[in-house]
Amino acid sequence: MDLEQQITQQRIELELIALKALKIASITANACEVTITKSTGLSVSSLMCAVENIEFMNDSILKVTVYKGKRKGSASTSELSMKAIQMTIAAALDIAQYTSEDLYSGLASKELMVQNIPELDLFCPDILDPNSASKIAITAEKKALSYNDKIKQSNGANFDVCYGIKVYGNSYDLIASYLFSQYQMSCSIIAQGENSEMECDYGYSIARHKSDLLAPEIVGREAAFKVVNRLGAKKLITGTYPVMFSADIASGLIAHLARAISGESLHRKSSFLLGYLGKQIFPKWFNISEDPHVLRGLGSKPFDNEGLYTKNCQIISNGILMTYLLSSYSARKMNMIETGHTAGIHNWFIQCINKKKKSQMLTELDTGLLVTEVIGQGVNIVTGNYSRGAVGFWVKNGQVEHPVSEITIASNLKDMFRNIVAIGNDVDTRSKIQTGSILVESMKIAGN
């Protein structure tokens, strides 16, 4: 039996375990749900082109949630024997006796449960071979170390692979499952400039299928190129300037939107976008679409953690916020309909009519800051206030002039979203949020 057949057989066995657990829990509970996640993987790290660590992973977790009236109890176990499952169900039922009644608790809407599992090509198992994984990590390191004599040492490289099974079932007689895999490679490099100045940066690649990863030489070269170009950084004079976020950093900017429109933030009234549904928060030419069924997509899922089917959705249309991201609990709290986002967002695509080349973006930036790294957690989702350390490049007359560091950029997310003036076509595909560079009209920069 090959590896794929073994995992397919495990999937069948886990579905049967979930079904048995539901039958046991249903004897006492009014409603119940079971989630099982099984993950198998390998992580190899190297340092200065020698293997540093090899770690195998083989984890399982079963979570049972029961509802007795409006009381809820949850318990989990990493052991999948029937004795362990029975003890876990008993623990969940016991917990439910002591929790307060919550009018909004319960299973998600039956009519929105997944019916058919689409084939999303999320699963590509590979033999967990430490030797081949080590060679990939070391190859990335060697390429980075040979790039430039300013590169003095490696900070390490990694190659990780994980594949697994997700099973969900509930007392609506639903049992659903899918297989997944993920491969990731990274390399971190240290360079030294004048006056013993030292900088560190990295490159990485991530994919559902191993064949979709970048070559290790490309990852190593990316790390080396980035770190060498950081040498000789200067501070800036405090002021207000245009700011352009590189594509990999821009995805993080949009992630703040996802957090602000999540049901958890909204029903707790801890979001700066509370009450903004149907209102303009971006320029009229700005759009975000969600597609959870992209083949091999990093954010692709056939159903969420409550068994709700996932579907295409327009998050932002012509700058207007079209939907919140609601679990069944937050939907009930807000008297709305759940949206299948209990497990977070799926694949987001930032769209506009005229995406621009990076050179055109820099020309439009003219004189200002290109941000390539942000530091710290200075984002307040309640108020929208944004203040973070930053690293990047000073741009003058559309040309990169010199690297900058030890600065802080600040604004409010409402203003930043509203004052986006351009999107680049340099889309970074290594994230659930796929966007090019984002140019914001102005932000405060604190330097000298």
Side-chain angles (χ1 to χ4, degrees), residues 387-415:
S387 178
R388 304 186 74 181
V391 174
F393 297 90
W394 182 247
V395 178
K396 187 173 182 179
N397 298 324
Q399 300 295 319
V400 174
E401 194 169 74
H402 60 77
V404 296
S405 63
E406 298 183 41
I407 59 172
T408 300
I409 56 176
S411 185
N412 185 279
L413 286 168
K414 284 183 186 177
D415 296 328

Side-chain angles (χ1 to χ4, degrees), residues 117-123 178-179 208-209 291-297 299-303 310 347:
I117 305 296
E119 176 48 59
L120 303 179
D121 200 17
L122 303 181
F123 181 60
Y178 64 92
L179 305 177
R208 290 290 190 182
H209 286 220
D291 184 351
H293 297 161
V294 176
L295 297 182
R296 305 188 183 186
S300 294
K301 286 185 177 181
F303 56 85
T310 53
N347 304 295

Side-chain angles (χ1 to χ4, degrees), residues 256-325:
H256 299 316
L257 167 69
R259 185 178 166 196
I261 63 174
S262 71
E264 183 177 1
S265 296
L266 293 163
H267 79 71
R268 293 179 177 178
K269 303 187 185 305
S270 57
S271 169
F272 70 97
L273 291 179
L274 182 64
Y276 273 78
L277 187 63
K279 295 182 181 180
Q280 186 120 20
I281 58 174
F282 287 94
K284 291 183 178 180
W285 47 264
F286 189 96
N287 300 279
I288 300 177
S289 64
E290 181 179 69
D291 184 351
H293 297 161
V294 176
L295 297 182
R296 305 188 183 186
L298 294 175
S300 294
K301 286 185 177 181
F303 56 85
D304 78 348
N305 284 2
E306 294 186 289
L308 298 175
Y309 69 83
T310 53
K311 59 181 179 180
N312 289 4
C313 180
Q314 197 68 27
I315 308 297
I316 302 292
S317 179
N318 299 321
I320 296 172
L321 178 61
M322 302 302 293
T323 184
Y324 290 147
L325 311 176

